[in-house]
Every structure is written in C-alpha cells, then in structure tokens.
Amino acid sequence: QVQLVESGGGLVQPGGSLRLSCAASGSIFKIGDMGWYRQVPGKERELVAVISSVGSAHYASSVVGRFTISRDNAKNTAYLHMDGLKPEDTAVYYCNAEVAPSYREAPSHYWGQGTQVTVSS
C-alpha cells in the first residue's frame, strides 16, 4: 500500500507565499512523475505542475514564474513553492505520484487527501 500525505496549506494574503509538501510512504520500489493538481468546487481537477524522476518540470501557464516544483528522491517527497499568490489560486491542492510498489508490479497513480490553500485579505 502506498500513501501520499500533503502538508503546508493554509490561509495567506494576496502576494504571499506558501510551500506544500507531499511525502510518499509504504510499499515503494520506484517513483516516477510526481505532480500537484488543484480543484475548486464545481470545476474539474487541473494540473498545476509535474516533475519527472530526473527533475524535468512542467507548469500550467497560469502559474509559470510564480510556482516552483521540486523533489527529494531520497525522501520520496515533492514540494510546491508558491510565490505571488492570487485569490484565484484558492483551491484544494492534491499530490499525485506514479509509484511501482515492487519490481514485479506496473506503476499506478496515487493521490493524497488534499490540502486547502486560501488566498484572501
């Protein structure tokens, strides 16, 4: 079993910063891509940023220049550093990871429980 646990969400004023963390634990042989998604009520979950196992990152156009995704492979942890936060960044942020639990199993995508980010004055 694989678990993803997010942390670091909260309330921040416009223009402020937050750093989200996503720690993977459990039966892990290999982790591929790790990513952050976000969702607001009534809308589909959308990709925010994704990073490969070798550090290649891709961002949604709405966060380019403001958000930075990174990972620590030794800790099985991904981070999302968010600067210049705007009210429209308010959402529940979810971590996603492509994990192979053992060398005999194909990788599957796992989700964290989500962490609320609220940008408001």
Side-chain angles (χ1 to χ4, degrees):
Q1 193 74 350
V2 176
Q3 298 84 38
L4 300 180
V5 178
E6 300 110 333
S7 60
L11 173 64
V12 63
Q13 292 187 342
S17 299
L18 280 176
R19 189 180 83 154
L20 306 182
S21 299
C22 170
S25 63
S27 178
I28 298 173
F29 171 69
K30 184 178 180 180
I31 303 178
D33 291 349
M34 299 185 78
W36 290 94
Y37 293 71
R38 65 188 181 187
Q39 188 170 25
V40 297
K43 291 191 175 182
E44 291 188 358
R45 193 171 296 185
E46 64 174 5
L47 174 69
V48 176
V50 62
I51 186 168
S52 72
S53 58
V54 296
S56 178
H58 171 78
Y59 298 91
S61 58
S62 59
V63 307
V64 169
R66 300 189 298 122
F67 292 10
T68 302
I69 189 170
S70 61
R71 64 191 285 172
D72 184 334
N73 290 333
K75 296 181 179 179
N76 291 333
T77 300
Y79 305 95
L80 184 68
H81 190 92
M82 304 182 289
D83 290 322
L85 283 161
K86 305 175 181 179
E88 51 263 42
D89 294 317
T90 296
V92 178
Y93 283 70
Y94 296 90
C95 176
N96 177 277
E98 183 184 38
V99 181
S102 73
Y103 72 94
R104 294 172 294 181
E105 298 176 72
S108 299
H109 283 270
Y110 294 84
W111 291 93
Q113 80 286 354
T115 184
Q116 177 70 46
V117 171
T118 302
V119 184
S120 175
S121 55

Coordinates of all heavy atoms in Angstrom, one line a residue, residues 5-103:
V5 N 0.9 11.9 1.7 CA 0.4 12.9 2.7 C 0.9 14.3 2.4 O 2.2 14.5 2.3 CB 0.9 12.5 4.1 CG1 0.4 13.5 5.1 CG2 0.4 11.1 4.4
E6 N 0.0 15.2 2.1 CA 0.3 16.6 1.9 C 0.3 17.4 3.1 O -0.4 17.1 4.1 CB -0.7 17.2 0.9 CG -0.8 16.5 -0.5 CD -2.1 15.8 -0.7 OE1 -2.7 15.4 0.4 OE2 -2.6 15.6 -1.8
S7 N 1.1 18.4 3.1 CA 1.1 19.4 4.2 C 1.5 20.8 3.7 O 2.0 20.9 2.6 CB 2.0 18.9 5.4 OG 3.3 18.8 4.9
G8 N 1.2 21.8 4.5 CA 1.7 23.1 4.2 C 0.6 24.1 3.7 O 0.9 25.3 3.4
G9 N -0.6 23.6 3.5 CA -1.7 24.5 3.1 C -2.0 25.5 4.2 O -1.6 25.4 5.3
G10 N -2.9 26.5 3.9 CA -3.4 27.4 4.9 C -3.9 28.7 4.2 O -4.2 28.7 3.0
L11 N -4.1 29.7 5.1 CA -4.6 31.0 4.6 C -3.4 32.0 4.5 O -2.6 32.1 5.3 CB -5.6 31.5 5.7 CG -6.1 33.0 5.5 CD1 -6.9 33.1 4.2 CD2 -6.9 33.4 6.7
V12 N -3.4 32.7 3.3 CA -2.3 33.6 3.0 C -2.9 34.8 2.3 O -3.9 34.7 1.6 CB -1.2 32.9 2.2 CG1 -1.7 32.5 0.8 CG2 0.0 33.8 2.1
Q13 N -2.3 35.9 2.5 CA -2.8 37.2 1.8 C -2.3 37.2 0.4 O -1.3 36.6 0.1 CB -2.3 38.4 2.6 CG -2.9 38.6 4.0 CD -2.5 39.9 4.6 OE1 -1.5 40.5 4.2 NE2 -3.2 40.3 5.6
P14 N -3.0 37.9 -0.5 CA -2.5 38.0 -1.9 C -1.1 38.6 -1.9 O -0.7 39.5 -1.1 CB -3.5 39.1 -2.4 CG -4.8 38.8 -1.6 CD -4.3 38.5 -0.2
G15 N -0.3 38.0 -2.8 CA 1.1 38.3 -2.9 C 2.0 37.5 -2.0 O 3.2 37.6 -2.1
G16 N 1.4 36.7 -1.1 CA 2.2 35.9 -0.1 C 2.7 34.6 -0.7 O 2.5 34.4 -1.9
S17 N 3.3 33.8 0.1 CA 4.0 32.6 -0.3 C 3.6 31.4 0.6 O 3.3 31.6 1.8 CB 5.5 32.7 -0.3 OG 5.9 33.7 -1.2
L18 N 3.6 30.3 0.0 CA 3.4 29.0 0.8 C 4.2 27.9 0.2 O 4.5 28.0 -1.0 CB 1.9 28.6 0.7 CG 0.9 29.2 1.7 CD1 -0.5 28.7 1.3 CD2 1.2 29.0 3.1
R19 N 4.6 26.9 0.9 CA 5.3 25.8 0.4 C 4.5 24.5 0.8 O 4.3 24.3 2.0 CB 6.7 25.6 0.9 CG 7.5 24.5 0.1 CD 8.9 24.4 0.6 NE 9.0 23.6 1.8 CZ 10.1 22.9 2.1 NH1 11.2 22.9 1.3 NH2 10.2 22.2 3.2
L20 N 4.1 23.8 -0.2 CA 3.4 22.5 0.1 C 4.4 21.3 0.0 O 5.3 21.4 -0.8 CB 2.3 22.3 -1.0 CG 1.2 23.4 -1.1 CD1 0.2 23.0 -2.2 CD2 0.6 23.7 0.2
S21 N 4.2 20.3 0.8 CA 5.0 19.1 0.8 C 4.1 17.9 0.6 O 3.0 17.9 1.0 CB 5.7 18.9 2.1 OG 6.6 20.0 2.4
C22 N 4.7 16.9 -0.1 CA 4.0 15.7 -0.4 C 4.9 14.5 -0.1 O 5.9 14.4 -0.8 CB 3.4 15.6 -1.8 SG 2.8 14.0 -2.3
A23 N 4.7 13.8 1.0 CA 5.6 12.7 1.3 C 4.9 11.3 1.0 O 3.8 11.1 1.4 CB 5.9 12.7 2.8
A24 N 5.6 10.5 0.2 CA 5.1 9.2 -0.1 C 5.7 8.2 0.8 O 6.9 8.2 1.2 CB 5.5 8.9 -1.6
S25 N 4.9 7.2 1.2 CA 5.4 6.2 2.1 C 4.7 4.9 1.8 O 3.7 4.8 1.1 CB 5.1 6.6 3.6 OG 3.8 6.7 3.9
G26 N 5.2 3.8 2.5 CA 4.6 2.5 2.2 C 5.4 1.6 1.4 O 6.6 1.7 1.4
S27 N 4.8 0.8 0.6 CA 5.5 -0.1 -0.3 C 5.9 0.6 -1.6 O 5.1 0.8 -2.5 CB 4.6 -1.3 -0.6 OG 5.3 -2.2 -1.5
I28 N 7.2 1.0 -1.7 CA 7.6 1.8 -2.8 C 8.9 1.1 -3.4 O 9.9 1.0 -2.7 CB 7.9 3.2 -2.4 CG1 6.7 3.9 -1.9 CG2 8.5 4.0 -3.5 CD1 6.9 5.3 -1.3
F29 N 8.8 0.8 -4.6 CA 10.0 0.3 -5.3 C 10.6 1.5 -6.2 O 11.8 1.7 -6.1 CB 9.7 -0.9 -6.2 CG 10.8 -1.3 -7.2 CD1 11.9 -1.8 -6.7 CD2 10.7 -1.1 -8.5 CE1 13.0 -2.2 -7.5 CE2 11.7 -1.5 -9.4 CZ 12.9 -2.0 -8.9
K30 N 9.8 2.2 -6.9 CA 10.2 3.3 -7.7 C 9.1 4.3 -7.8 O 7.9 3.9 -8.0 CB 10.6 2.7 -9.1 CG 11.2 3.8 -10.0 CD 11.6 3.1 -11.4 CE 12.2 4.1 -12.3 NZ 12.6 3.5 -13.6
I31 N 9.5 5.6 -7.8 CA 8.5 6.7 -8.1 C 8.9 7.4 -9.4 O 10.1 7.8 -9.5 CB 8.5 7.7 -6.9 CG1 8.2 7.0 -5.6 CG2 7.5 8.8 -7.2 CD1 8.2 7.9 -4.4
G32 N 8.0 7.5 -10.2 CA 8.2 8.2 -11.5 C 7.8 9.7 -11.3 O 8.2 10.3 -10.4
D33 N 6.9 10.1 -12.2 CA 6.4 11.5 -12.1 C 5.7 11.8 -10.8 O 5.0 10.9 -10.3 CB 5.5 11.9 -13.2 CG 6.2 11.9 -14.6 OD1 7.4 11.9 -14.6 OD2 5.5 12.0 -15.6
M34 N 5.9 13.0 -10.2 CA 5.2 13.5 -9.1 C 4.6 14.8 -9.5 O 5.2 15.6 -10.1 CB 6.0 13.6 -7.8 CG 6.7 12.4 -7.4 SD 7.6 12.5 -5.8 CE 6.2 12.5 -4.6
G35 N 3.3 15.1 -9.1 CA 2.7 16.3 -9.6 C 1.7 16.9 -8.6 O 1.4 16.2 -7.6
W36 N 1.4 18.1 -8.8 CA 0.4 18.8 -8.0 C -0.8 19.2 -8.9 O -0.6 19.7 -10.0 CB 1.0 20.1 -7.3 CG 2.0 19.7 -6.3 CD1 3.4 19.6 -6.4 CD2 1.7 19.5 -4.9 NE1 3.9 19.3 -5.2 CE2 2.9 19.2 -4.3 CE3 0.5 19.5 -4.1 CZ2 3.0 18.9 -2.9 CZ3 0.6 19.2 -2.8 CH2 1.8 18.9 -2.2
Y37 N -1.9 19.0 -8.4 CA -3.2 19.4 -9.0 C -4.0 20.2 -8.0 O -3.7 20.2 -6.8 CB -4.0 18.1 -9.4 CG -3.4 17.3 -10.5 CD1 -2.2 16.5 -10.2 CD2 -3.9 17.2 -11.8 CE1 -1.6 15.7 -11.2 CE2 -3.3 16.4 -12.8 CZ -2.2 15.7 -12.5 OH -1.6 15.0 -13.5
R38 N -5.0 20.9 -8.6 CA -5.9 21.7 -7.7 C -7.3 21.6 -8.2 O -7.5 21.4 -9.4 CB -5.4 23.1 -7.6 CG -5.4 24.0 -8.8 CD -4.8 25.3 -8.6 NE -4.8 26.2 -9.8 CZ -4.2 27.3 -9.9 NH1 -3.5 27.8 -8.9 NH2 -4.3 28.0 -11.0
Q39 N -8.2 21.8 -7.3 CA -9.6 21.7 -7.6 C -10.4 22.7 -6.8 O -10.2 22.8 -5.6 CB -10.1 20.3 -7.4 CG -11.5 20.1 -7.9 CD -11.9 18.6 -7.9 OE1 -11.3 17.8 -7.2 NE2 -12.8 18.2 -8.8
V40 N -11.3 23.4 -7.4 CA -12.3 24.2 -6.7 C -13.7 23.6 -6.9 O -13.9 22.9 -7.9 CB -12.3 25.7 -7.2 CG1 -10.9 26.3 -7.0 CG2 -12.6 25.8 -8.7
P41 N -14.6 23.9 -6.1 CA -16.0 23.3 -6.2 C -16.6 23.6 -7.5 O -16.5 24.8 -8.0 CB -16.7 24.0 -5.0 CG -15.7 24.3 -4.0 CD -14.5 24.7 -4.8
G42 N -17.1 22.6 -8.1 CA -17.8 22.8 -9.4 C -16.9 22.8 -10.6 O -17.4 22.9 -11.8
K43 N -15.7 22.6 -10.4 CA -14.7 22.6 -11.6 C -13.9 21.3 -11.5 O -13.8 20.6 -10.5 CB -13.8 23.8 -11.5 CG -14.5 25.1 -11.8 CD -13.5 26.2 -12.1 CE -14.1 27.5 -12.5 NZ -13.1 28.6 -12.8
E44 N -13.4 20.9 -12.7 CA -12.5 19.7 -12.8 C -11.2 20.0 -12.1 O -10.7 21.1 -12.1 CB -12.4 19.3 -14.2 CG -13.6 18.8 -14.9 CD -13.4 18.2 -16.3 OE1 -12.2 18.3 -16.7 OE2 -14.3 17.8 -16.9
R45 N -10.6 18.9 -11.7 CA -9.2 19.0 -11.1 C -8.3 19.3 -12.3 O -8.4 18.8 -13.3 CB -8.9 17.7 -10.5 CG -7.6 17.7 -9.6 CD -7.5 16.4 -8.8 NE -8.6 16.2 -7.9 CZ -8.6 15.2 -7.0 NH1 -7.6 14.3 -7.0 NH2 -9.7 15.0 -6.2
E46 N -7.4 20.3 -12.0 CA -6.5 20.7 -13.0 C -5.0 20.5 -12.6 O -4.7 20.7 -11.4 CB -6.7 22.2 -13.4 CG -6.4 23.2 -12.3 CD -6.6 24.6 -12.8 OE1 -6.9 24.9 -13.9 OE2 -6.3 25.5 -12.0
L47 N -4.2 20.3 -13.6 CA -2.7 20.1 -13.3 C -2.1 21.5 -13.0 O -2.4 22.5 -13.7 CB -2.0 19.5 -14.6 CG -0.5 19.5 -14.5 CD1 -0.1 18.4 -13.4 CD2 0.1 19.1 -15.8
V48 N -1.3 21.5 -12.0 CA -0.6 22.7 -11.6 C 0.9 22.6 -12.1 O 1.4 23.5 -12.8 CB -0.6 23.0 -10.1 CG1 0.2 24.2 -9.8 CG2 -2.1 23.2 -9.7
A49 N 1.5 21.5 -11.7 CA 2.9 21.3 -12.1 C 3.2 19.8 -11.9 O 2.6 19.1 -11.1 CB 3.8 22.1 -11.2
V50 N 4.2 19.3 -12.7 CA 4.6 18.0 -12.6 C 6.1 17.9 -12.8 O 6.7 18.8 -13.5 CB 3.9 17.1 -13.6 CG1 4.2 17.5 -15.0 CG2 4.2 15.6 -13.4
I51 N 6.8 17.0 -12.1 CA 8.2 16.8 -12.2 C 8.6 15.4 -12.3 O 8.0 14.5 -11.7 CB 8.9 17.4 -10.9 CG1 10.4 17.5 -11.1 CG2 8.5 16.8 -9.6 CD1 11.1 18.3 -10.0
S52 N 9.5 15.1 -13.2 CA 9.9 13.7 -13.5 C 10.9 13.3 -12.4 O 11.4 14.1 -11.6 CB 10.5 13.6 -14.9 OG 11.8 14.3 -14.9
S53 N 11.3 12.0 -12.5 CA 12.2 11.5 -11.5 C 13.6 12.1 -11.7 O 14.4 12.1 -10.7 CB 12.3 10.0 -11.7 OG 12.7 9.6 -13.0
V54 N 13.9 12.7 -12.9 CA 15.2 13.3 -13.1 C 15.2 14.8 -13.0 O 16.1 15.5 -13.3 CB 15.8 12.9 -14.4 CG1 16.1 11.4 -14.4 CG2 15.0 13.2 -15.6
G55 N 14.0 15.3 -12.6 CA 13.9 16.8 -12.3 C 13.4 17.6 -13.4 O 13.4 18.9 -13.3
S56 N 12.9 17.1 -14.5 CA 12.3 17.8 -15.6 C 10.9 18.3 -15.2 O 10.0 17.4 -14.8 CB 12.2 17.0 -16.8 OG 11.6 17.7 -17.9
A57 N 10.6 19.6 -15.2 CA 9.3 20.1 -14.7 C 8.5 20.8 -15.8 O 9.0 21.3 -16.8 CB 9.6 21.2 -13.6
H58 N 7.2 20.7 -15.6 CA 6.2 21.3 -16.5 C 5.2 22.0 -15.6 O 4.8 21.5 -14.6 CB 5.6 20.3 -17.4 CG 4.4 20.8 -18.2 ND1 4.6 21.5 -19.3 CD2 3.1 20.7 -18.0 CE1 3.5 21.9 -19.8 NE2 2.5 21.4 -19.0
Y59 N 4.8 23.2 -16.1 CA 3.8 24.0 -15.3 C 2.6 24.4 -16.1 O 2.7 24.6 -17.3 CB 4.5 25.3 -14.8 CG 5.7 25.1 -13.9 CD1 7.0 24.9 -14.4 CD2 5.5 25.0 -12.5 CE1 8.1 24.7 -13.6 CE2 6.6 24.8 -11.7 CZ 7.9 24.6 -12.2 OH 8.9 24.4 -11.4
A60 N 1.5 24.6 -15.5 CA 0.3 25.2 -16.1 C 0.7 26.7 -16.4 O 1.5 27.3 -15.6 CB -0.9 25.2 -15.1
S61 N 0.2 27.2 -17.5 CA 0.5 28.6 -17.9 C 0.2 29.6 -16.8 O 0.8 30.6 -16.7 CB -0.2 28.9 -19.2 OG -1.6 28.8 -19.1
S62 N -0.9 29.3 -16.0 CA -1.3 30.3 -15.0 C -0.4 30.4 -13.8 O -0.5 31.4 -13.1 CB -2.7 29.8 -14.5 OG -2.7 28.6 -13.9
V63 N 0.6 29.5 -13.7 CA 1.5 29.6 -12.5 C 2.9 29.7 -12.9 O 3.8 29.9 -12.0 CB 1.3 28.3 -11.6 CG1 -0.1 28.1 -11.2 CG2 1.9 27.1 -12.3
V64 N 3.2 29.8 -14.2 CA 4.6 29.9 -14.7 C 5.2 31.2 -14.1 O 4.6 32.3 -14.1 CB 4.7 30.0 -16.2 CG1 6.0 30.4 -16.7 CG2 4.3 28.6 -16.7
G65 N 6.4 31.1 -13.5 CA 7.1 32.3 -13.0 C 6.7 32.6 -11.5 O 7.3 33.4 -10.9
R66 N 5.7 31.9 -11.0 CA 5.2 32.1 -9.6 C 5.4 30.8 -8.8 O 5.8 30.9 -7.6 CB 3.8 32.5 -9.6 CG 3.5 33.8 -10.3 CD 2.1 34.3 -10.1 NE 1.0 33.3 -10.5 CZ 0.1 32.8 -9.7 NH1 0.1 33.1 -8.4 NH2 -0.8 31.9 -10.2
F67 N 5.2 29.7 -9.3 CA 5.3 28.4 -8.6 C 6.5 27.6 -9.1 O 6.9 27.7 -10.2 CB 4.1 27.5 -8.9 CG 2.8 28.0 -8.3 CD1 2.7 29.3 -7.8 CD2 1.7 27.2 -8.3 CE1 1.5 29.8 -7.2 CE2 0.5 27.7 -7.8 CZ 0.4 29.0 -7.2
T68 N 7.1 26.9 -8.1 CA 8.3 26.0 -8.4 C 8.1 24.7 -7.8 O 7.8 24.6 -6.6 CB 9.6 26.6 -7.9 OG1 9.8 28.0 -8.4 CG2 10.8 25.8 -8.3
I69 N 8.1 23.7 -8.6 CA 8.0 22.3 -8.1 C 9.4 21.7 -8.0 O 10.3 22.0 -8.8 CB 7.1 21.4 -9.1 CG1 6.8 20.1 -8.4 CG2 7.8 21.3 -10.4 CD1 5.8 19.2 -9.2
S70 N 9.6 20.9 -7.0 CA 10.9 20.2 -6.8 C 10.7 18.9 -6.0 O 9.5 18.6 -5.6 CB 11.9 21.1 -5.9 OG 11.3 21.4 -4.6
R71 N 11.7 18.1 -5.9 CA 11.5 16.8 -5.2 C 12.9 16.4 -4.6 O 13.9 16.8 -5.1 CB 11.0 15.7 -6.2 CG 11.9 15.4 -7.3 CD 11.2 14.5 -8.3 NE 11.0 13.1 -7.9 CZ 10.3 12.2 -8.5 NH1 9.7 12.5 -9.6 NH2 10.2 11.0 -8.1
D72 N 12.7 15.6 -3.6 CA 13.9 15.0 -2.9 C 13.7 13.5 -3.0 O 12.9 12.9 -2.3 CB 13.9 15.4 -1.5 CG 15.2 14.9 -0.7 OD1 15.7 13.9 -1.2 OD2 15.6 15.6 0.2
N73 N 14.4 12.9 -4.0 CA 14.2 11.4 -4.2 C 14.6 10.6 -3.0 O 14.0 9.5 -2.8 CB 14.9 11.0 -5.4 CG 14.3 11.6 -6.7 OD1 13.1 11.9 -6.8 ND2 15.1 11.7 -7.7
A74 N 15.5 11.0 -2.2 CA 16.0 10.3 -1.1 C 14.9 10.2 0.0 O 14.8 9.3 0.8 CB 17.2 10.9 -0.5
K75 N 14.0 11.2 0.0 CA 12.9 11.3 1.0 C 11.6 11.0 0.4 O 10.6 11.1 1.1 CB 12.9 12.7 1.6 CG 14.1 13.1 2.4 CD 14.0 14.5 3.0 CE 15.2 14.9 3.8 NZ 15.1 16.3 4.4
N76 N 11.5 10.6 -0.9 CA 10.3 10.3 -1.6 C 9.3 11.5 -1.4 O 8.1 11.2 -1.1 CB 9.7 9.0 -1.0 CG 10.5 7.8 -1.4 OD1 11.2 7.8 -2.5 ND2 10.4 6.8 -0.7
T77 N 9.8 12.7 -1.5 CA 8.9 13.9 -1.2 C 9.0 14.9 -2.3 O 10.1 15.1 -2.9 CB 9.4 14.5 0.1 OG1 9.3 13.6 1.2 CG2 8.6 15.8 0.4
A78 N 7.9 15.4 -2.6 CA 7.8 16.5 -3.6 C 7.3 17.8 -2.9 O 6.6 17.7 -1.9 CB 6.8 16.2 -4.7
Y79 N 7.7 18.9 -3.5 CA 7.4 20.2 -2.9 C 6.8 21.1 -4.0 O 7.1 21.0 -5.2 CB 8.6 20.9 -2.4 CG 9.4 20.0 -1.4 CD1 10.5 19.3 -1.8 CD2 9.0 20.0 0.0 CE1 11.2 18.5 -0.9 CE2 9.7 19.3 0.9 CZ 10.8 18.5 0.5 OH 11.5 17.7 1.4
L80 N 6.0 22.0 -3.6 CA 5.4 23.1 -4.4 C 5.6 24.4 -3.7 O 4.9 24.7 -2.7 CB 4.0 22.9 -4.8 CG 3.4 23.8 -5.8 CD1 4.1 23.6 -7.2 CD2 1.9 23.7 -6.0
H81 N 6.6 25.2 -4.2 CA 6.8 26.5 -3.6 C 6.0 27.5 -4.4 O 6.2 27.6 -5.6 CB 8.3 26.9 -3.6 CG 8.6 28.1 -2.8 ND1 8.9 28.1 -1.5 CD2 8.5 29.4 -3.2 CE1 9.1 29.3 -1.0 NE2 8.9 30.1 -2.0
M82 N 5.1 28.2 -3.7 CA 4.2 29.2 -4.4 C 4.4 30.6 -3.9 O 4.3 30.9 -2.7 CB 2.7 28.8 -4.1 CG 2.4 27.3 -4.4 SD 0.7 26.9 -4.1 CE 0.7 26.9 -2.3
D83 N 4.8 31.4 -4.9 CA 5.0 32.9 -4.6 C 4.0 33.7 -5.4 O 3.4 33.2 -6.3 CB 6.4 33.3 -5.1 CG 7.5 32.7 -4.3 OD1 7.4 32.6 -3.0 OD2 8.6 32.3 -4.9
G84 N 3.8 34.9 -5.0 CA 2.9 35.8 -5.7 C 1.5 35.3 -5.7 O 0.8 35.3 -6.8
L85 N 1.0 34.7 -4.6 CA -0.3 34.0 -4.7 C -1.4 35.0 -4.9 O -1.4 36.2 -4.5 CB -0.5 33.3 -3.4 CG 0.2 32.0 -3.3 CD1 0.4 31.5 -1.8 CD2 -0.5 30.9 -4.1
K86 N -2.4 34.5 -5.7 CA -3.5 35.3 -6.1 C -4.8 34.7 -5.5 O -4.8 33.5 -5.3 CB -3.6 35.4 -7.6 CG -2.4 36.0 -8.3 CD -2.5 35.9 -9.8 CE -1.3 36.4 -10.5 NZ -1.4 36.3 -12.0
P87 N -5.9 35.4 -5.4 CA -7.1 34.8 -4.9 C -7.6 33.7 -5.8 O -8.2 32.7 -5.3 CB -8.1 36.0 -5.0 CG -7.3 37.2 -4.7 CD -6.0 36.9 -5.4
E88 N -7.3 33.8 -7.1 CA -7.7 32.7 -8.0 C -6.9 31.4 -7.8 O -7.2 30.4 -8.4 CB -7.6 33.1 -9.5 CG -6.3 33.8 -9.9 CD -6.4 35.3 -9.8 OE1 -7.0 35.8 -8.8 OE2 -5.9 35.9 -10.8
D89 N -5.8 31.4 -7.0 CA -5.1 30.2 -6.7 C -5.8 29.4 -5.5 O -5.3 28.3 -5.2 CB -3.7 30.6 -6.2 CG -2.8 31.2 -7.3 OD1 -2.9 30.7 -8.5 OD2 -2.1 32.2 -7.1
T90 N -6.8 30.0 -4.9 CA -7.5 29.3 -3.9 C -8.1 28.0 -4.4 O -8.9 28.0 -5.4 CB -8.6 30.2 -3.3 OG1 -8.1 31.4 -2.7 CG2 -9.5 29.5 -2.3
A91 N -7.8 26.9 -3.7 CA -8.3 25.6 -4.1 C -7.8 24.6 -3.1 O -7.0 24.9 -2.3 CB -7.7 25.3 -5.5
V92 N -8.3 23.4 -3.3 CA -7.7 22.2 -2.6 C -6.6 21.7 -3.5 O -6.9 21.4 -4.7 CB -8.7 21.1 -2.3 CG1 -8.0 19.9 -1.7 CG2 -9.8 21.7 -1.4
Y93 N -5.4 21.6 -3.0 CA -4.3 21.1 -3.8 C -4.0 19.6 -3.4 O -3.9 19.2 -2.3 CB -3.0 21.9 -3.4 CG -3.1 23.3 -4.1 CD1 -4.0 24.3 -3.7 CD2 -2.2 23.6 -5.2 CE1 -4.1 25.5 -4.4 CE2 -2.3 24.8 -5.8 CZ -3.2 25.8 -5.4 OH -3.3 27.0 -6.1
Y94 N -3.9 18.8 -4.5 CA -3.7 17.4 -4.4 C -2.3 17.0 -5.0 O -1.9 17.5 -6.0 CB -4.8 16.6 -5.1 CG -6.2 16.8 -4.6 CD1 -7.0 17.8 -5.0 CD2 -6.7 16.0 -3.6 CE1 -8.3 18.0 -4.5 CE2 -7.9 16.1 -3.1 CZ -8.7 17.1 -3.6 OH -10.0 17.3 -3.1
C95 N -1.7 16.1 -4.3 CA -0.5 15.5 -4.8 C -0.8 14.2 -5.5 O -1.7 13.5 -5.1 CB 0.5 15.2 -3.6 SG 2.0 14.4 -4.0
N96 N -0.1 14.0 -6.6 CA -0.2 12.7 -7.3 C 1.2 12.2 -7.6 O 2.1 12.9 -7.9 CB -0.9 13.0 -8.7 CG -1.0 11.8 -9.5 OD1 -0.1 11.4 -10.3 ND2 -2.2 11.1 -9.5
A97 N 1.3 10.8 -7.5 CA 2.6 10.2 -7.8 C 2.4 8.9 -8.5 O 1.5 8.2 -8.2 CB 3.4 10.0 -6.5
E98 N 3.3 8.7 -9.5 CA 3.3 7.4 -10.2 C 4.3 6.5 -9.5 O 5.5 6.7 -9.5 CB 3.7 7.6 -11.6 CG 3.7 6.4 -12.5 CD 4.3 6.7 -13.9 OE1 5.3 7.5 -14.0 OE2 3.8 6.2 -14.9
V99 N 3.7 5.4 -8.9 CA 4.5 4.6 -8.0 C 4.4 3.1 -8.4 O 3.3 2.6 -8.6 CB 4.1 4.7 -6.5 CG1 5.0 3.8 -5.6 CG2 4.1 6.2 -6.1
A100 N 5.6 2.4 -8.5 CA 5.6 1.0 -8.6 C 5.9 0.4 -7.2 O 7.0 0.6 -6.7 CB 6.8 0.6 -9.6
P101 N 5.0 -0.3 -6.7 CA 5.2 -0.9 -5.3 C 6.3 -1.9 -5.2 O 6.9 -2.1 -4.2 CB 3.8 -1.5 -5.0 CG 2.8 -0.8 -5.9 CD 3.6 -0.6 -7.2
S102 N 6.5 -2.6 -6.3 CA 7.6 -3.6 -6.3 C 8.1 -3.8 -7.8 O 7.5 -3.3 -8.7 CB 7.1 -5.0 -5.8 OG 6.2 -5.6 -6.8
Y103 N 9.2 -4.5 -7.9 CA 9.7 -4.6 -9.3 C 8.8 -5.5 -10.2 O 9.0 -5.5 -11.4 CB 11.1 -5.2 -9.2 CG 11.2 -6.7 -8.9 CD1 11.2 -7.7 -9.9 CD2 11.2 -7.1 -7.5 CE1 11.3 -9.0 -9.5 CE2 11.2 -8.5 -7.2 CZ 11.2 -9.4 -8.2 OH 11.3 -10.7 -7.9

